[in-house]
Amino acid sequence: PRRKTLVQRIEARIARMKDDAYLTHEFMDLGGERQVLRALRQLTQRGKLLRVGYGVYGEGRLSSIDQQSLLSRGFNVVTRKALDKLGIPWGQTNAQEAYNSGRTTQVPVNPAVKILSTRFKRRFRYANMELRLDRAKPTNLHRRSASL
């Protein structure tokens, strides 16, 4: 039997993980850093993965309308899962809390989260969307669960 290529092994791991966001370091045990980055680049060129930020990828799927690659789980889901994996506590913004509690009917349109960390400088972008990071002291932080 022929040995699987690194790209095939990464695809197999993605299929097994069934996750919303993938970090580069999750694949580093499969090969050297340059080889893994090259394989991830090949997967992004094929549309299987979509780069959302530095070392952060989301699973891609083809649009049935125009055959463009889209994030299969959506930008908000992927970026929040990435924050969890990176260990960054996050919470809903004031606008999201007001809408969810029924204090307003104005729907928050732009993707945003509150974070406590002032040192976190990464940016998450995809197509025309960018995750806005509000640096405030949120009351309800969503922390990464111990099982991850």
Side-chain angles (χ1 to χ4, degrees), residues 57-84:
Y57 298 87
E59 198 166 353
R61 67 173 171 81
L62 282 180
S63 166
S64 59
I65 299 169
D66 59 1
Q67 301 304 309
Q68 293 286 324
S69 287
L70 302 172
L71 285 170
S72 60
R73 294 286 305 202
F75 184 71
N76 278 331
V77 174
V78 171
T79 54
R80 290 171 184 200
K81 184 64 173 185
L83 287 171
D84 286 344

Side-chain angles (χ1 to χ4, degrees), residues 63-124:
S63 166
S64 59
I65 299 169
D66 59 1
Q67 301 304 309
Q68 293 286 324
S69 287
L70 302 172
L71 285 170
S72 60
R73 294 286 305 202
F75 184 71
N76 278 331
V77 174
V78 171
T79 54
R80 290 171 184 200
K81 184 64 173 185
L83 287 171
D84 286 344
K85 284 187 169 189
L86 291 167
I88 305 296
W90 59 271
Q92 293 184 336
T93 61
N94 294 338
Q96 291 166 337
E97 288 174 1
Y99 177 74
N100 290 337
S101 67
R103 288 181 284 155
T104 182
T105 57
Q106 186 170 349
V107 179
V109 177
N110 298 319
V113 292
K114 273 189 199 177
I115 62 169
L116 195 57
S117 172
T118 56
R119 295 181 54 130
F120 185 75
K121 300 291 184 213
R122 290 194 194 192
R123 299 184 109 158
F124 296 126

Side-chain angles (χ1 to χ4, degrees), residues 7 29-30 52 94 99 111 130 138:
V7 172
D29 61 321
L30 298 176
V52 177
N94 294 338
Y99 177 74
E130 182 173 353

Side-chain angles (χ1 to χ4, degrees), residues 12-46:
R13 180 166 294 177
I14 289 170
R16 266 195 324 272
M17 288 171 70
K18 291 286 184 209
D19 221 337
D20 298 325
Y22 303 97
L23 305 179
T24 304
H25 72 81
E26 294 175 316
F27 305 108
M28 287 300 173
D29 61 321
L30 298 176
E33 182 179 6
R34 291 183 71 172
Q35 288 87 349
V36 169
L37 292 175
R38 189 178 313 121
L40 290 172
R41 196 174 320 112
Q42 287 175 9
L43 288 170
T44 56
Q45 287 169 349
R46 284 196 227 154

Side-chain angles (χ1 to χ4, degrees), residues 2-13 30 35 39 42-43 46:
R2 193 171 174 190
R3 189 166 181 219
K4 288 184 176 179
T5 66
L6 182 58
V7 172
Q8 291 169 333
R9 288 186 288 162
I10 289 175
E11 284 178 321
R13 180 166 294 177
L30 298 176
Q35 288 87 349
Q42 287 175 9
L43 288 170
R46 284 196 227 154

